[in-house]
Amino acid sequence: MPVKAGRPHMSIEEFEELAFTARNRMEGLQLEFIDGQLRSRALRDGSHGLVVQWLTRICMQHHPELWLHPGRGLRVQADRGRAIPHASLAPSDAFAGHGEWSDPDAVLMVVEVTSWNSDTDRRHRQEKPRVYGESRIPVYLLIDRTECQVSVHSEPDGNRYETVRTVPFGKDVRLPDPVGITLPTEPLKDWVR
């Protein structure tokens, strides 16, 4: 939900306080702050969780020293924004001692899985690649259940990702270094509508 025109600018501190209060008072509500706009995350369906479980198993097989941290809050946009990717691949202890929001420096890959809501295009295909690319997160993996495809964004230049590879579900796709995994996307066909 965008901030209404005419409202005073919200600071990062005000956003963090609001996000903390909302999460503790309303079960399942997660707020993000992208481009100075307040955003709420859609509730996830059961198949969404299965996609993240599937990816977690694959990552653990290839990189047991890493963990696919679900729902970890990240400071993005040069610390002017806050995003909550569905999962972040990082060393298992990367966020030890951190509060609700962490710098993305240790993150090798962020993952988003589309839901069945009206803002999927804007959020996952436009805002998130730009925001994660600006934050120089090496890989952004979009598992797009509405389009039945996987998009791998890599080579961030501080403004955007220079390389994007998109394949349909059923075709293997390589996650470039530092992730270095080939994903067999055939199972994703089971988790769409």
Side-chain angles (χ1 to χ4, degrees):
M1 66 182 172
V3 176
K4 292 182 181 177
R7 282 188 83 178
H9 175 72
M10 181 182 292
S11 71
I12 285 293
E13 294 78 16
E14 290 168 327
F15 165 76
E16 288 181 352
E17 184 178 330
L18 177 65
F20 177 81
T21 302
R23 188 180 53 262
N24 288 316
R25 299 190 93 198
M26 302 173 89
E27 184 177 342
L29 179 62
Q30 291 183 322
L31 299 177
E32 295 180 303
F33 196 58
I34 307 291
D35 295 329
Q37 300 289 310
L38 182 63
R39 306 271 190 235
S40 62
R41 296 221 37 142
L43 291 176
R44 301 172 185 137
D45 61 56
S47 293
H48 185 284
L50 293 174
V51 171
V52 174
Q53 286 179 23
W54 165 80
L55 188 57
T56 299
R57 286 186 184 101
I58 292 171
C59 290
M60 287 180 65
Q61 289 170 355
H62 292 274
H63 295 291
E65 75 283 8
L66 301 176
W67 186 250
L68 198 61
H69 302 266
R72 178 75 221 155
L74 297 178
R75 294 180 186 107
V76 294
Q77 297 185 300
D79 200 33
R80 294 182 327 274
R82 300 291 182 266
I84 306 172
H86 291 128
S88 300
L89 184 66
S92 58
D93 63 350
F95 306 119
H98 291 212
E100 295 177 62
W101 305 98
S102 297
D103 289 328
D105 300 340
V107 177
L108 305 177
M109 175 176 74
V110 288
V111 180
E112 297 284 359
V113 180
T114 59
S115 298
W116 313 108
N117 54 347
S118 62
D119 71 343
T120 287
D121 183 60
R122 176 186 47 79
R123 180 186 303 272
H124 296 303
R125 298 183 196 113
Q126 296 173 31
E127 287 179 351
K128 291 300 184 84
R130 182 178 43 76
V131 167
Y132 296 145
E134 287 173 2
S135 300
R136 296 186 184 272
I137 296 170
V139 177
Y140 167 45
L141 174 63
L142 173 60
I143 299 174
D144 194 333
R145 297 185 300 158
T146 56
E147 297 293 325
C148 295
Q149 63 188 21
V150 173
S151 296
V152 179
H153 303 250
S154 60
E155 299 181 43
D157 67 4
N159 292 309
R160 62 184 181 91
Y161 287 101
E162 293 184 1
T163 302
V164 180
R165 177 145 192 253
T166 301
V167 301
F169 287 178
K171 187 173 182 179
D172 291 358
V173 66
R174 181 80 178 154
L175 302 178
D177 289 336
V179 181
I181 296 173
T182 298
L183 285 182
T185 67
E186 184 71 27
L188 295 171
K189 292 179 178 180
D190 294 336
W191 300 311
V192 296
R193 285 186 179 168

